Amino acid sequence: MRFFNTLTRRLEEFREIEKGKIGLYTCGPTVYDYPHIGNYRSYVFEDLVKRFFIFSGYRVRHVMNITDIDDKTIRKANELGVPLAEVTQKFIDAFHGDLRRLNILKADVYPRATEHIPEMLSLIAVLLDKGFAYKKDGSVYFSIESFKEYGRLANIDRDKLKPGAAVDSDEYDKEAVQDFVLWKGRKSGEPSWPAAFGEGRPGWHIECSAMSMKYLGAHFDIHMGGVDNIFPHHENEIAQSECANGRTFVNYWLHCQHLVVDNRKMSKSLGNVYTMDDLRQRGLDPMAVRYLLISSHYRKLLNFTFAGLEMAGQALNRIKNFIFSLKNVRAEGDADPDLCAAIDASLNAFRKNMADDFNVSGALGVMFDLIHEVNPRLNALSQKDAANVLDYLQRLNTVLGVLDQGESAPLAADIEEKIAQREKARKGKDFALADAIRAELKKQGIVLLDTPDGVKWKKE
RNA sequence: GGCGGCGUAGCCAAGUGGUAAGGCAGCGCUCUGCAAAAGCGCUAUUCAUCGGUUCAAAUCCGGUCGCCGCCUCCA
């Protein structure tokens, strides 16, 4: 398996630290608002990567942080005039609801910054102790000058560094990279914690170093996030962690490109920032959203449009209809060895595409090829064949996660009755009545299909 | 100003030296009481453009045009 490592800006063959196991850290949400589809492009991609590793036989330990204290969350709490924890909890709950809807596997741990203050304090103490950090006006700063590797991840020219120029906020001067804050001295209107170096609260970056270290160790395999995190967030994480521990922090950095909406950057002023709830209110299927988000390469800008969502939904329908047909296969007989071989080849091709820098488009193409190959032979399939194909799709779906499970609810007795009535009408050539019954069921979301094998139905 | 990316059919999107995957839409046909669904077939002599390297380029090199991202809050 190989993929693009931001650290080296090259495709690299993946080698885990401990055989068969992967430590994965993904930057989670700052819970000051509802996450939008752009955020979810990253989270869905991270989920895809994780699922593919699991599919490939690895045991993945996944940690996703929740930033529940920073400039933005504090600002929001003050705006609303409610306690910080109340605001953050609301958005954490919303976040988890969205994860469920998007069929994103749960992380092993969702550590919150506010619950790891002691870990951050001791990390800062180490940095002070080793001379990588300094105190100034009640705050503690990291000295970028002290770390010669600083700027490597973001590919920043060291001449643009501005050592000794400390920034207290998480906002950066674009002219030069500056020393960043590890611990912010107490300000009125902000929550604070006691510390040896003065009461205050953590800077933004320190939480990820402290929490990843706690749950994954000082050195782990993969760290992911959106491209915007490369600088300054991940650059700073590396600086903090490597200086404190005196060793490599992370082997592979994977970053997901942003998405735009109708070819324009999402922004509140353009009114094109969509949350999952916005999409749900428009009656859009979260699985179509997921399909759309994964279907183009993660290092390319994704243009999100409603037309694109429509296409994604249709593509998904093609798969679902295929599954529907397979489930209706009734013929007895043995499994066809040719089909087994075709399935096998397809599974390998799928794996090969995914293992090549997560080429989802290629992998999806492989799946549709198999569908295309089996569809014309549906009538010749045995139940065993159908089961094998269904099994194949199920396996792919453990990676793709675009087919929601457990659909077919049992038919209510009165619907069965209606179908029987309609059949009777059709036999008697009373097509007006037959069509009326069809229309009636359609209103209930039941679609009838008249096939040579009798009437079949499915939910719309 | 610094760093980086992209331009492949009506739309979405793979392919990165060996002669254009796949999905959506469209058209034709099959099936059918009708319809829906499904299936089959067709749909890029061509990969923004100009030039170069090569037996061979969408793929490599150089120029041009166009679009975009990050460097600022942000996934």
Side-chain angles (χ1 to χ4, degrees):
Chain A
M1 177 175 335
R2 61 172 194 161
F3 50 82
F4 188 85
N5 188 354
T6 307
L7 197 59
T8 56
R9 284 173 287 281
R10 279 174 27 199
L11 288 173
E12 284 183 36
E13 194 63 30
F14 176 72
R15 293 270 176 273
E16 69 271 35
I17 295 167
E18 189 182 342
K19 191 168 175 17
K21 293 185 183 173
I22 289 171
L24 172 68
Y25 189 93
T26 60
C27 274
T30 300
V31 284
Y32 69 104
D33 205 345
Y34 295 104
H36 51 67
I37 51 171
N39 298 114
Y40 287 117
R41 183 189 189 192
S42 288
Y43 301 144
V44 164
F45 170 61
E46 288 157 5
D47 183 56
L48 188 85
V49 168
K50 174 179 168 184
R51 283 167 173 269
F52 183 61
F53 275 115
I54 294 170
F55 173 88
S56 304
Y58 291 95
R59 273 182 48 204
V60 178
R61 178 163 170 80
H62 177 201
V63 179
M64 177 184 261
N65 68 297
I66 303 282
T67 300
D68 61 353
I69 175 152
D70 80 318
D71 298 353
K72 295 192 292 292
T73 46
I74 292 169
R75 195 184 310 141
K76 188 76 165 200
N78 288 341
E79 271 169 24
L80 299 175
V82 296
L84 181 65
E86 196 177 305
V87 176
T88 56
Q89 191 56 50
K90 174 181 167 187
F91 295 119
I92 288 170
D93 292 343
F95 175 63
H96 281 111
D98 289 346
L99 293 184
R100 250 193 326 279
R101 265 171 237 124
L102 284 167
N103 202 14
I104 292 173
L105 299 177
K106 288 192 82 82
D108 296 278
V109 200
Y110 291 101
R112 300 187 190 184
T114 53
E115 292 171 359
H116 295 78
I117 302 294
E119 286 85 348
M120 296 188 228
L121 290 176
S122 54
L123 184 57
I124 294 168
V126 171
L127 289 168
L128 274 169
D129 197 47
K130 292 192 174 180
F132 294 109
Y134 59 91
K135 289 184 251 186
K136 185 182 169 190
D137 303 330
S139 294
V140 180
Y141 298 89
F142 184 92
S143 165
I144 54 176
E145 194 180 26
S146 68
F147 183 50
K148 49 259 148 256
E149 292 277 287
Y150 194 84
R152 183 173 164 218
L153 181 74
N155 195 22
I156 283 171
D157 186 346
R158 283 192 70 82
D159 294 343
K160 300 204 73 181
L161 269 49
K162 206 171 176 182
V167 278
D168 199 39
S169 79
D170 295 327
E171 293 173 24
Y172 275 69
D173 184 339
K174 64 167 85 176
E175 299 308 313
V177 182
Q178 302 167 353
D179 287 355
F180 58 93
V181 68
L182 297 169
W183 186 257
K184 301 188 182 194
R186 179 165 190 229
K187 286 187 202 133
S188 66
E190 292 191 353
S192 62
W193 286 261
F197 27 85
E199 183 153 336
R201 64 164 174 102
W204 171 35
H205 315 293
I206 196 71
E207 62 174 275
C208 286
S209 290
M211 301 193 296
S212 63
M213 203 179 298
K214 175 171 182 180
Y215 295 102
L216 295 170
H219 177 210
F220 57 94
D221 298 290
I222 304 173
H223 197 312
M224 300 180 69
V227 286
D228 58 291
N229 280 149
I230 295 171
F231 189 85
H233 189 52
H234 290 163
E235 190 69 58
N236 293 352
E237 272 186 61
I238 292 173
Q240 296 162 346
S241 304
E242 302 206 342
C243 289
N245 297 318
R247 61 182 302 185
T248 301
F249 176 40
V250 168
N251 284 357
Y252 302 90
W253 291 85
L254 260 169
H255 291 100
C256 185
Q257 184 52 265
H258 282 202
L259 70 70
V260 291
V261 173
D262 297 322
N263 277 315
R264 308 193 65 174
K265 187 179 166 163
M266 268 192 297
S267 80
K268 295 216 164 119
S269 58
L270 286 172
N272 63 358
V273 178
Y274 298 109
T275 63
M276 285 305 292
D277 212 52
D278 293 334
L279 299 182
R280 192 176 50 174
Q281 278 173 20
R282 289 173 179 236
L284 296 162
D285 177 9
M287 288 298 92
V289 176
R290 183 179 169 105
Y291 186 98
L292 178 64
L293 293 180
I294 65 172
S295 59
S296 68
H297 193 85
Y298 74 96
R299 286 194 282 121
K300 278 192 177 174
L301 208 62
L302 168 67
N303 185 22
F304 183 96
T305 62
F306 286 100
L309 254 186
E310 171 74 23
M311 291 192 285
Q314 285 305 108
L316 226 37
N317 276 339
R318 181 167 161 84
I319 305 169
K320 286 187 200 160
N321 285 325
F322 180 61
I323 290 173
F324 176 80
S325 302
L326 289 170
K327 283 185 174 168
N328 279 293
V329 168
R330 291 286 173 268
E332 301 291 327
D334 293 328
D336 175 3
D338 288 346
L339 181 62
C340 289
I343 288 172
D344 227 49
S346 182
L347 205 55
N348 279 328
F350 175 85
R351 187 180 288 119
K352 196 176 161 209
N353 274 282
M354 287 301 295
D356 185 14
D357 200 27
F358 309 105
N359 185 353
V360 181
S361 305
L364 286 171
V366 165
M367 177 184 66
F368 282 110
D369 281 340
L370 195 278
I371 291 175
H372 181 68
E373 196 174 331
V374 173
N375 249 327
R377 301 168 52 190
L378 275 171
N379 290 329
L381 292 191
S382 69
Q383 269 189 301
K384 277 180 187 166
D385 291 325
N388 285 340
V389 178
L390 284 167
D391 204 60
Y392 156 89
L393 289 172
Q394 194 63 255
R395 285 217 66 197
L396 298 201
N397 196 49
T398 62
V399 178
L400 303 171
V402 290
L403 304 166
D404 38 9
Q405 344 286 34
E407 255 181 61
S408 52
L411 254 195
D414 61 321
I415 295 177
E416 296 259 26
E417 176 63 27
K418 288 280 192 307
I419 291 176
Q421 278 177 23
R422 177 169 169 277
E423 279 309 275
K424 205 172 154 198
R426 288 180 74 208
K427 290 240 168 62
K429 305 260 184 201
D430 183 356
F431 297 120
L433 177 59
D435 290 348
I437 293 172
R438 180 206 291 285
E440 191 185 334
L441 285 174
K442 170 125 177 146
K443 275 188 195 153
Q444 299 174 44
I446 303 295
V447 179
L448 298 185
L449 309 171
D450 297 331
T451 77
D453 298 332
V455 183
K456 289 174 184 172
W457 66 274
K458 65 180 174 186
K459 286 199 165 184
E460 207 164 23

